[in-house]
């Protein structure tokens, strides 16, 4: 995963609350190998009619070039399926802006280089996007997102921010703190030797 500090692209609105992971990618598509790409399944039941034809006025069908998605609260709620994040990333999104996210979805997003930018209020941004797309920028250093002329700060866990900037996964983040972990282990081994196993396997 490549790290990044800024992303510039077009923002598009999905003016819905509680977009859950089953909507992001219905379970019936998860038998497809990830190597074939999940972007075509993103929001399938909203993007296509029952005959499989694209719904012309659906925002993602009108603006497939967008890479920043703005939505409402509770985005990514529901099941823990990581495939929901795969679908967004494979479609081309790098940032999702919303007032709140499902906890597991947000964690999965960061592990795949997708920024879940938690912005307190998105009403003004959604109103500005009502007619289509606008140039937008997300900045991890300043923790801000700008859509058109509207700038808002976003909240993100500091460890998640570090992972996105450096392109790290959970293992990379742990290894970066191996000296602190070793020091803590040594201190604990002195204070509670019975809790540690020696080289012979005895306690």
């Amino acid at each position: 995963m490549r790290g990044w500090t800024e992303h510039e692209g077009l923002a598009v609105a999905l003016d819905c609350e509680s977009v859950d992971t089953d909507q992001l990618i219905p379970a019936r598509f998860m038998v497809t190998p990830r190597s074939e790409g999940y972007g075509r399944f993103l929001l399938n039941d909203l993007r296509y009619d029952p005959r499989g034809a694209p719904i012309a006025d659906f925002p993602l069908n009108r603006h497939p070039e967008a890479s920043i998605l703005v939505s409402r609260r509770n985005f990514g709620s529901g099941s823990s399926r990581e495939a929901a994040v795969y679908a967004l990333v494979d479609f081309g999104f790098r940032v999702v802006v919303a007032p709140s996210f499902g906890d597991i979805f947000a964690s999965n997003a960061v592990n795949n280089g997708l920024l879940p930018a938690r912005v307190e209020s998105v009403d003004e941004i959604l109103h500005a996007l009502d007619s289509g797309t606008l140039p937008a920028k997300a900045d991890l250093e300043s923790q801000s997102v700008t859509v058109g002329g509207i700038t808002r700060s976003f909240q993100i866990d500091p460890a998640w921010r570090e992972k996105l900037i450096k392109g790290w996964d959970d293992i990379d983040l742990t290894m970066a703190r191996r000296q602190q972990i070793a020091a803590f282990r040594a201190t604990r081994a002195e204070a509670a030797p019975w809790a540690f196993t020696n080289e012979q396997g005895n306690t």
Side-chain angles (χ1 to χ4, degrees):
M1 186 173 68
R2 294 175 58 186
W4 60 277
T5 56
E6 294 182 356
H7 173 76
E8 295 187 43
L10 291 177
V12 68
L14 181 62
D15 195 357
C16 305
E17 290 190 353
S18 300
V19 177
D20 64 31
T21 52
D22 191 53
Q23 290 174 296
L24 289 169
I25 183 166
R28 64 186 182 276
F29 297 118
M30 291 169 58
V31 296
T32 303
R34 168 76 194 283
S35 60
E36 295 183 16
Y38 278 12
R40 57 199 166 114
F41 305 131
L42 177 64
L43 295 165
N44 183 89
D45 295 349
L46 296 176
R47 288 172 59 202
Y48 301 97
D49 67 22
R51 296 172 298 173
I55 297 172
D57 62 351
F58 189 73
L60 272 63
N61 290 336
R62 286 190 290 125
H63 307 289
E65 72 282 10
S67 60
I68 297 176
L69 183 65
V70 184
S71 193
R72 292 198 178 272
R73 67 180 182 87
N74 210 24
F75 189 92
S77 56
S79 71
S80 60
R81 68 187 65 169
E82 194 168 9
V85 174
Y86 297 162
L88 285 159
V89 171
D90 289 355
F91 189 84
F93 285 111
R94 292 297 173 264
V95 180
V96 179
V97 179
S100 61
F101 295 90
D103 289 342
I104 298 176
F105 169 87
S107 177
N108 287 337
V110 170
N111 284 333
N112 287 276
L114 178 70
L115 168 63
R118 186 156 54 93
V119 172
E120 186 173 338
S121 176
V122 294
D123 289 342
E124 188 177 0
I125 296 174
L126 288 171
H127 179 73
L129 287 169
D130 187 56
S131 60
T133 61
L134 286 171
K137 175 182 174 181
D139 189 322
L140 282 164
E141 293 285 2
S142 64
Q143 291 188 211
S144 66
V145 60
T146 300
V147 179
I150 305 166
T151 298
R152 295 287 182 270
S153 61
F154 64 80
Q155 298 178 33
I156 187 170
D157 180 277
W160 287 2
R161 177 174 170 270
E162 183 180 16
K163 286 166 70 175
L164 286 167
I165 290 174
K166 295 182 177 177
W168 286 352
D169 59 18
D170 287 334
I171 294 174
D172 294 319
L173 183 64
T174 301
M175 292 303 295
R177 289 155 173 72
R178 58 185 177 275
Q179 291 183 343
Q180 296 96 311
I181 293 169
F184 175 81
R185 178 180 172 82
T187 300
R188 289 298 300 157
E190 279 191 37
W194 60 86
F196 292 80
T197 302
N198 64 26
E199 294 180 356
Q200 286 72 42
N202 300 318
T203 55

